[in-house]
Amino acid sequence: MRKDYRHEIKHKISPMDMLCIRSRLSAVARRDSHAVDGKYHIRSLYFDTPDDKALREKIDGVDRREKFRIRYYDDDLSFIRLEKKSKLNGLGTKDMAVLSRENAQAIVDGRIDWMPDDHQPLIHELYVNMKSRNMKPKTIVDYIREPFIFDPGNVRVTLDYNIQTGLSCTDFLNRSIPTVPVKESPIILEVKWDGFLPDVIRDMVQLDLRDGSYSKYAECRMYD
């Protein structure tokens, strides 16, 4: 499944900013129906090449780049997704494929011979990258997300916090592995929209939307 390219801005904000923005958004936006008590826990396992291509391109601000990750929510191992995030001239899109628990573990373990026979193109694409570029799992990223949805403009605003890294551990499905908070325990405001951003949301988040980017993956890789 593929989504169209969307505008995407990420900024670090203060705890007071988060309280104010959460209060404002609660008055006009709806909560994600999948969130429990308005939030959910996300665990992602990011992939990279031996020369850290995805990391270097993010740090260097390359206009066209992509990164692969496996993700699940709220410790629910019955629904695991492979995702590829792509950026092009500041716009973003995401491709997704569903993974069984067994296949996710096989990828983590480097047992990938089954992947060309899967019916999902994204799994084939990851396989090619793992074979030709020696792409492998690099690090686990955990965090809490509070999502808000505003239908005009297809706007999604999220507040991400309690960001933790699994350091060099890639035991993705082991929910008891130790993780440590990233430096300064940042809170990240992320805003995504399609063709236009409604003024009501622009005013509520009160950000300079011409610039702003933050990578949880890059931040967690600083601990290597």
Side-chain angles (χ1 to χ4, degrees):
M1 181 169 56
R2 185 177 182 86
K3 291 189 176 182
D4 294 333
Y5 278 92
R6 284 160 54 82
H7 298 271
E8 179 177 314
I9 297 292
K10 299 179 185 180
H11 282 276
K12 290 184 182 181
I13 61 174
S14 70
M16 183 57 69
D17 289 335
M18 182 172 71
L19 292 174
C20 293
I21 292 171
R22 178 194 287 147
S23 177
R24 294 173 190 147
L25 289 172
S26 296
V28 300
R30 60 184 173 89
R31 293 281 191 167
D32 189 324
S33 61
H34 297 99
V36 179
D37 295 328
K39 59 189 176 183
Y40 42 75
H41 173 263
I42 296 175
R43 167 164 287 186
S44 299
L45 175 65
Y46 285 86
F47 291 73
D48 214 334
T49 60
D51 61 348
D52 291 327
K53 181 176 184 290
L55 178 62
R56 289 187 292 104
E57 290 181 346
K58 171 59 183 177
I59 293 173
D60 294 341
V62 174
D63 286 337
R64 185 167 190 162
R65 61 185 186 270
E66 61 187 34
K67 60 188 174 187
F68 288 86
R69 69 192 179 201
I70 303 177
R71 169 172 287 188
Y72 61 89
Y73 300 82
D74 290 328
D75 293 334
D76 180 6
L77 300 182
S78 68
F79 184 65
I80 304 172
R81 296 194 311 207
L82 169 65
E83 300 180 347
K84 183 183 76 169
K85 286 204 68 178
S86 303
K87 297 283 286 191
L88 178 62
N89 298 326
L91 300 177
T93 191
K94 183 165 61 176
D95 297 296
M96 293 179 285
V98 177
L99 285 173
S100 68
R101 178 174 180 171
E102 293 74 20
N103 285 348
Q105 187 64 58
I107 292 174
V108 172
D109 294 340
R111 295 181 282 108
I112 62 175
D113 290 345
W114 60 272
M115 295 173 72
D117 297 324
D118 193 276
H119 69 281
Q120 299 175 94
L122 188 59
I123 291 178
H124 298 175
E125 188 174 345
L126 178 61
Y127 173 79
V128 170
N129 276 276
M130 295 181 78
K131 291 292 286 187
S132 64
R133 296 182 176 178
N134 200 24
M135 183 179 284
K136 293 181 179 178
K138 283 288 186 174
T139 194
I140 292 169
V141 179
D142 284 353
Y143 58 97
I144 302 296
R145 166 164 287 179
E146 293 187 30
F148 296 86
I149 299 169
F150 191 74
D151 291 320
N154 191 23
V155 179
R156 184 176 178 86
V157 182
T158 56
L159 300 167
D160 296 342
Y161 53 91
N162 193 27
I163 303 168
Q164 307 219 2
T165 173
L167 302 173
S168 59
C169 177
T170 59
D171 194 5
F172 175 63
L173 301 183
N174 181 354
R175 289 168 287 188
S176 64
I177 65 165
T179 57
V180 298
V182 301
K183 184 179 179 181
E184 299 176 354
S185 299
I187 300 168
I188 308 303
L189 170 68
E190 180 176 313
V191 186
K192 295 181 180 179
W193 70 97
D194 287 345
F196 73 100
L197 181 65
D199 289 341
V200 62
I201 299 297
R202 186 185 299 270
D203 293 341
M204 284 183 174
V205 299
Q206 295 183 343
L207 290 175
D208 180 356
L209 295 170
R210 295 171 299 176
D211 191 21
S213 179
Y214 178 90
S215 170
K216 301 179 189 73
Y217 170 61
E219 190 72 24
C220 290
R221 284 297 310 280
M222 296 300 103
Y223 289 74
D224 286 1

